[in-house]
Amino acid sequence: MKNFIKKIICIIIAAFLIFPCEIYAEPVTSVTETVDPPVPEVPSDEEAGDSGGESGGESAGSPDENFSGDSLNGSAPEISEKITYYITSDDHEYCVYEPLGDNKADKICFMLIPSEEEVNSFMEMTEWPFFSATDNFAVVCLQTDWSSEESAEAYYEAVYNEVSSEYISENSSVFIIGYENGADYACYEACLNHDRYTGLVAFGGSGLSEEQQSFFSDKAGDWALSVWLVRNNVTQSLTDNITFWKKINGISEGSRNSYNISYTDQLYLPATSSAERISSYSEEMGAVFFSRKLDYYSGSAAAMISRNFITKVSDDSVSFDPDINGGEIYEIKISNFRYFRKQFEGQQRDYWIYTPGIGFAGAEPSSLISCLHGSGQNGENMIYRTMWHDKAEENNCVVVYPSSLYTFGNFHYWMNIDSEMDFLRDLIETVCEDYNIDRSRIYVTGFSNGAGMAQNLAINFSDIIAAAALSAPAYFDEEYYGVPDNIAPVAILFSFGTEDTYLKSFNMTPEIDDEAAESHLAYWRGLYEFEQDSYVLEEKDIFRMYTYSNKEGIPICRWMIIEGKTHSYPKEEVAPFYDFLSSYTKGENGELYYNGQQVSAMLRPYYVEENQE
């Protein structure tokens, strides 16, 4: 409180000064006594095209309007309850997102967001406050006209000096992260004051100009800085910037230094004799990352940087452990999450597990939800796409997020073959043995390709799975999914979006009378003996829910349409999914119960009988 009052007094005094910039620390304008470095260049329209694409926000007024305290106050993501607002003397604003709890953040990230973005929307969209809270680092969010060289430098320097006194100590790791035109200034600042920073991340932009590269290259060998460049297009400018950063970090062009690993397209390291040495590399070193086709404004992008850069680059500024080979188990800082790697049938498999505080302590049995990613994703992506752990913590659920075995490059997808089925069954049993799981409440959910796999599990593991909730599944193909001769009752929910252009490209609409609906519902109509037009329709907010019941009148199948939903698994789906799943429990012999009432069903799918006639 004293610090806050002191800051307000300083602001009032500054308002009466003839030269308001006098409260700024003297900006650093050169790396030598006599030569000023080239200032950042404003990217051309051609280079600015490498931006984040359609996910970027639209202009919402001037920077000062976008970053007003009134517009931010009370509307930031709930995970970041500790938000402190400061104002500099030049009416430029910035905010600090702090981790929850009483622990002092050991890392700090200066976040330079694009001049045209609305700040609160940007932070909510990218989900940086969530990672600040869970991975224990502070985020200083800055916004100004980064192309205005002199004012941008004065603004940044003033904020840095003010924040440093409270947040930065000798043991702090400091990162600078920029987006688009903010990324260009971040690259310049990281070179100009490289001794300040542990790492640099640049989302888009054009990077350092040729003149700047030439100037700073003269200092190569005197310092190292781990750098992560994210671009959607490979340009000559990008290639030149990668070459520059490799030179700064002592990475020679001719040595074996390039690695393609799971969480980025390319990783460059100083030469080593073998990849095995890298995972335990202990010398001071820098690293250069390059990722392509990564949505700048997604939580997945923030997750990748947080998990594989901010939490892995050490406090001595240049020591880095890329964890190429991994270990049997890697426990991360995010509360109640654990990441596992295990050998299954000669293949390395990985999965994440979320355990609620009460379930982990073993106070009472937890339900279990298996959450399956879509094509091009992995288990970790599903954590941040769905945010299932929020609902899980409230309702004592353990959530497991497995990654598929099959990939095309870094492109993961589920294949309906015995090895995947065996792994997922084994995974469920392993979690049930390792944690205090209520075996009557085992559920499965999935997105797109993972939704198809989830339906497959529900059918083939109907003896243990009580219910399934599927987000944006494609056509149901009985031959592909391998329907067994006998099945125990299972409840099923299908969810589709009115703006799912991906499924529409396959002539699939979300409507209940569509061919895709018949493809999915035919199997379950035969199992529970209901007609396709026998639903009860309920409309609420953005949801339309068509609920089918069996002959006893027990709801057993639901078709849900969400207004505005694209080909995605939005967080808004989790609540209706959980409400549906949690209504069903499984008996020891595979019988199904809806709120305690037993559900009847045929033991054999109708089309199996038809095929045998």
Side-chain angles (χ1 to χ4, degrees), residues 436-458:
N436 188 11
I437 301 297
D438 180 353
R439 287 181 177 264
S440 72
R441 296 186 293 136
I442 298 177
Y443 311 108
V444 62
T445 184
F447 166 60
S448 192
N449 167 247
M453 196 63 170
Q455 185 166 193
N456 187 22
L457 296 185

Side-chain angles (χ1 to χ4, degrees), residues 372-509:
L372 307 184
H373 63 78
S375 294
Q377 304 167 13
N378 56 37
E380 185 178 2
N381 294 150
M382 285 297 282
I383 295 174
Y384 311 111
R385 287 175 181 271
T386 65
M387 302 293 283
W388 253 106
H389 51 280
D390 287 343
K391 180 64 69 174
E393 184 64 37
E394 296 172 3
N395 296 278
N396 190 25
C397 304
V398 170
V399 188
V400 59
Y401 305 85
S403 293
S404 64
L405 175 62
Y406 294 93
T407 63
F408 181 76
N410 288 333
F411 189 89
H412 285 252
Y413 58 94
W414 294 101
M415 290 282 288
N416 179 39
I417 60 175
D418 291 343
S419 60
E420 289 283 47
M421 295 291 291
D422 291 344
F423 164 67
L424 291 169
R425 179 72 182 233
D426 178 78
L427 179 58
I428 292 173
E429 292 297 330
T430 297
V431 176
C432 287
E433 292 173 1
D434 292 345
Y435 298 89
N436 188 11
I437 301 297
D438 180 353
R439 287 181 177 264
S440 72
R441 296 186 293 136
I442 298 177
Y443 311 108
V444 62
T445 184
F447 166 60
S448 192
N449 167 247
M453 196 63 170
Q455 185 166 193
N456 187 22
L457 296 185
I459 293 172
N460 284 274
F461 300 160
S462 61
D463 57 323
I464 62 170
I465 292 177
L470 316 178
S471 178
Y475 288 106
F476 181 70
D477 186 335
E478 61 190 80
E479 294 183 2
Y480 178 77
Y481 286 108
V483 174
D485 289 343
N486 293 284
I487 180 174
V490 179
I492 190 82
L493 182 155
F494 302 91
S495 176
F496 295 89
T498 59
E499 302 302 320
D500 192 336
T501 56
Y502 179 78
L503 289 184
K504 286 180 179 179
S505 69
F506 294 96
N507 296 319
M508 295 175 59
T509 73

Side-chain angles (χ1 to χ4, degrees), residues 309-321:
F309 195 70
I310 296 174
T311 60
K312 287 186 176 181
V313 180
S314 73
D315 295 336
D316 64 5
S317 298
V318 289
S319 179
F320 179 74
D321 176 11

Side-chain angles (χ1 to χ4, degrees), residues 82-86 94-98 138-141 163 167:
K82 293 172 63 178
I83 303 178
T84 307
Y85 301 93
Y86 302 117
Y94 66 98
C95 62
V96 180
Y97 292 76
E98 295 181 287
V139 176
V140 181
C141 188
V163 169
Y167 288 94

